[in-house]
Amino acid sequence: MVAFVCLRTPLALLGAAVLVLAGPPLLTTGSGAETGTRIPGLRLMVPNTPGGGYDITARTAAKDAEDAGLTHNIEVFNLPGAGGTVGLSRLVSEHGNGKLAMSMGLGVVGAVRSNHAPRTLADTTPIARLTEEQDVVVVAKNSPYKTIDDLIDAWKEAPGKLPVGGGSSPGGPDHLAPMLMARAAGISPKQVNYIPFDGGGELLASILGNKVAFGVSGVGEYLDQIKAGELRLLAVTGPERVPGLDAPTLREAGYDVNFTNWRGLVAPPGLSEAERTKLIRLAEALHDSKEWQESMKRNGWDDAFLTGEKFGAFLDAQDKRVVSVLKELGL
């Protein structure tokens, strides 16, 4: 049995648990000066195209932090390329810049490996893991596949002729999820025709245009399109159904897969202790704000908060796990 789950179970391979931090809440309704969260000129880099999970996470975090009065005028900008490793290289080059952070997640961990990137997440300053979410298996509204069984049956007949699209490089969540689906269905992962896109925004057009047979991406990226009927949701990859969405888990449907993704923030190397502490304080206060809690619920995100050195240890474990799982899958 292969399960990609959060750390709620001892045999989990990937994912995150909610770790409750001790200490008093840091949220105030002021300007951010009272809690030391105000960072004038703060910029959030998104290492893929607009509309993807990193982009939605960064823009939501920026708006919520401002609405909560924690800091002001956060600039969010996109620097896509190579599954997030172009942005990662830029981040690492900004040595000592305490006014820059990057939205990232499991996709960047995988892209570093698959692209043999010269810079890794070990070169960054870990700030916080923010969320965990399931992936969704979706097709266009005019697709012939009405259920997950319809799709899997057709996939088993001709694996290479049914391309699957994902918003991450090989080794990332949107790649690993369909590979685990394939193995659970009796399809060799090596036969899967996986087409990577630089984020869920780019992937969406190919799904809607039937350029891929189906797509796999984060639930928060495609909620609007699913609810509008533009995409047909066939299944979710996590341990439980997503509230408000009418689709089974893969395990419910008879495919032994349990997979979740996560997202967080890292900063450049070489920060002073004061700069690092201020970024972590901002993440803590954002996490405790009603604005962020409402955004998580609205986007189908689960709380997976973890900061600083513990987040750094988690990143190291995720890197090792990606390498291990790719070997297990023969990839």
Side-chain angles (χ1 to χ4, degrees), residues 14-15 18 63 80 115 127 146 153 203 238 248 265 292 308 321:
L14 292 174
V18 179
K63 182 179 186 302
N115 294 323
I127 301 301
K146 308 294 185 183
D153 288 345
L203 170 62
L265 298 171
W292 180 251
R321 196 65 247 169

Side-chain angles (χ1 to χ4, degrees), residues 75-290:
E75 179 190 350
V76 180
F77 68 101
N78 298 77
L79 185 62
T85 57
V86 170
L88 176 61
S89 293
R90 164 71 179 277
L91 185 82
V92 174
S93 73
E94 295 275 345
H95 189 278
N97 185 353
K99 297 180 183 295
L100 179 65
M102 186 177 82
S103 175
M104 49 72 71
L106 179 57
V108 175
V109 178
V112 166
R113 286 295 176 179
S114 61
N115 294 323
H116 306 288
R119 300 295 188 181
T120 74
L121 289 165
D123 297 316
T124 69
T125 300
I127 301 301
R129 186 183 67 197
L130 298 174
T131 63
E132 179 185 37
E133 71 171 340
Q134 305 194 41
D135 267 358
V136 291
V137 182
V138 293
V139 295
K141 63 181 179 180
N142 60 349
S143 168
Y145 310 118
K146 308 294 185 183
T147 68
I148 188 65
D149 286 333
D150 291 343
L151 173 63
I152 296 292
D153 288 345
W155 202 19
K156 289 170 73 173
E157 287 184 12
K161 293 184 179 179
L162 267 71
V164 50
S168 59
S169 296
D174 300 349
H175 171 250
L176 293 176
M179 294 301 164
L180 291 168
M181 282 174 55
R183 189 167 76 169
I187 301 169
S188 169
K190 291 183 178 180
Q191 292 181 287
V192 174
N193 182 9
Y194 177 76
I195 301 177
F197 293 84
D198 203 354
E202 281 192 1
L203 170 62
L204 179 61
S206 289
I207 301 173
L208 294 176
N210 293 302
K211 294 180 180 178
V212 294
F214 66 104
V216 177
S217 193
V219 60
E221 295 176 70
Y222 291 160
L223 266 179
D224 291 343
Q225 291 79 11
I226 291 168
K227 291 181 177 180
E230 296 174 12
L231 293 175
R232 180 182 301 143
L233 176 60
L234 301 185
V236 297
T237 66
E240 299 176 353
R241 291 191 177 211
V242 175
L245 297 181
D246 184 19
T249 66
L250 286 170
R251 185 167 284 174
E252 267 186 89
Y255 307 101
D256 195 8
V257 176
N258 190 352
F259 178 91
T260 53
N261 185 19
W262 56 269
R263 295 195 179 93
L265 298 171
V266 293
L271 301 191
S272 68
E273 187 58 30
E275 290 171 325
R276 174 181 172 273
T277 298
K278 183 166 281 192
L279 283 167
I280 291 175
R281 277 185 186 156
L282 177 58
E284 290 171 339
L286 171 68
H287 169 261
D288 291 343
S289 71
K290 65 180 179 60

Side-chain angles (χ1 to χ4, degrees), residues 35-58:
T35 56
T37 61
R38 185 191 296 174
I39 306 176
L42 178 62
R43 306 176 79 211
L44 287 183
M45 182 197 304
V46 177
N48 61 12
T49 54
Y54 301 150
D55 188 70
I56 294 170
T57 302

